[in-house]
Amino acid sequence: MSITVETYPTLREAASAMRDGTRFLGGGTMVVRGLNFGAQTYDRVVRSTDAALRDIRSDGTGLHIGAGVTMAQIMQTASTDFLAPVARAVGGPAVRNMATVGGNLFARAPYGDFGTALLALDATVQMADGQSLAIETFYAHRAGSRGLVAAVTVPRPASGAFRFAKITRTRPKGASLLCIAAHLPGGTRISGARLAFGAMGPTPLRAKEAEAALDGAALDPAGIQRALDTCLNGLDPQDDALASAWYRRAVAPVHLRRLLLGEET
Ligand SMILES: Cc1cc2nc3c(=O)[nH]c(=O)nc-3n(C[C@H](O)[C@H](O)[C@H](O)COP(=O)(O)OP(=O)(O)OC[C@H]3O[C@@H](n4cnc5c(N)ncnc54)[C@H](O)[C@@H]3O)c2cc1C
């Protein structure tokens, strides 16, 4: 099968060129792997050299991160320091040099670690057609979407309020058995917590009952118990080669407990 690759100077032009049988090329860690393994669903690849895709800057609402920013770039940029541990958890060095923020939003479980962190941080997804979507809305409509992502906007968390844990069989670079991102504003009494789980459903998912259970709670064993009891509600893990859905359900509260108490996972 022959493959057509088209390059456009702006993301808008690339977006106009999207149609059935076409994939947008971010860093290509999944798209090119698909081609190498003989993907039958696309034979046309569209890419863009738009410099805005690699932009990282602060604006009034938080950090603006272009969809083409790589995990390596996140790790090397001072303003994205709170996301560096998440970027470092994605694959090995070769993958991180190519893997983009935009591509991670489309990764299927067990991948999508970076998107899980963005979900806990209430990021906004900026589409190439100018729409802004809350990341939860973006994920709810991701299946079948052909829209291109231009950037994400991420509110910067207060120091120490963001935590991330990735559970793998092979450290440091295995795929997630699950990952957990927690935004825990409020200091000694939590207010407005966000808990997002990766690899516990087809997309990263929030544990909303557990978030509510943390409202006004202290991060001690008694304060977090109701969150642990309810954290699986709404999650939908799958069996895969790494772990069964049963196993994922069994260990998720254990790792959430460790993350909330600040223990080693
Ligand atoms: C060996 C290996 C290890 C990996 N380990 C991890 C891991 O530990 N954690 C993890 O989360 N992921 C992992 N991945 C998956 C993948 O590398 C990452 O999810 C990465 O962030 C995907 O980004 P990309 O730019 O390479 O995506 P691409 O391969 O370029 O694209 C992936 C999908 O996203 C779409 N897409 C890309 N950019 C956009 C955009 N701007 N707008 C709309 N659609 C877009 C593409 O069309 C395609 O459908 C791994 C992959 C490999 C091969």
Side-chain angles (χ1 to χ4, degrees), residues 24 26-31 89 91 99-100 103-104 106-107 111-113 148-149 166:
F24 182 74
T29 58
M30 301 308 286
V31 169
T100 65
N104 204 268
F106 290 87
Y111 294 147
D113 301 329
L148 296 190
V149 173
K166 173 169 170 173

Side-chain angles (χ1 to χ4, degrees), residues 177-195:
L177 294 185
L178 63 102
C179 67
I180 315 173
H183 184 210
L184 303 166
T188 49
R189 295 276 163 190
I190 299 304
S191 166
R194 289 282 181 276
L195 297 175

Side-chain angles (χ1 to χ4, degrees), residues 11 18 22-33 42 46 53 67-71 86 89-92 95-96 98-108 110-115 127 138 145-151 166 168 172-176:
L11 189 64
M18 295 299 290
T22 304
R23 284 284 182 287
F24 182 74
L25 186 77
T29 58
M30 301 308 286
V31 169
V32 174
R33 187 166 83 160
Y42 54 98
V46 162
L53 285 170
V69 167
T70 63
M71 298 299 139
V86 185
V90 173
V95 168
R96 293 196 290 267
M98 301 300 291
T100 65
V101 170
N104 204 268
L105 292 173
F106 290 87
R108 297 205 186 139
Y111 294 147
D113 301 329
F114 201 83
M127 305 301 292
F138 168 84
S145 152
R146 240 191 287 146
L148 296 190
V149 173
K166 173 169 170 173
T168 61
K173 56 179 188 176
S176 283

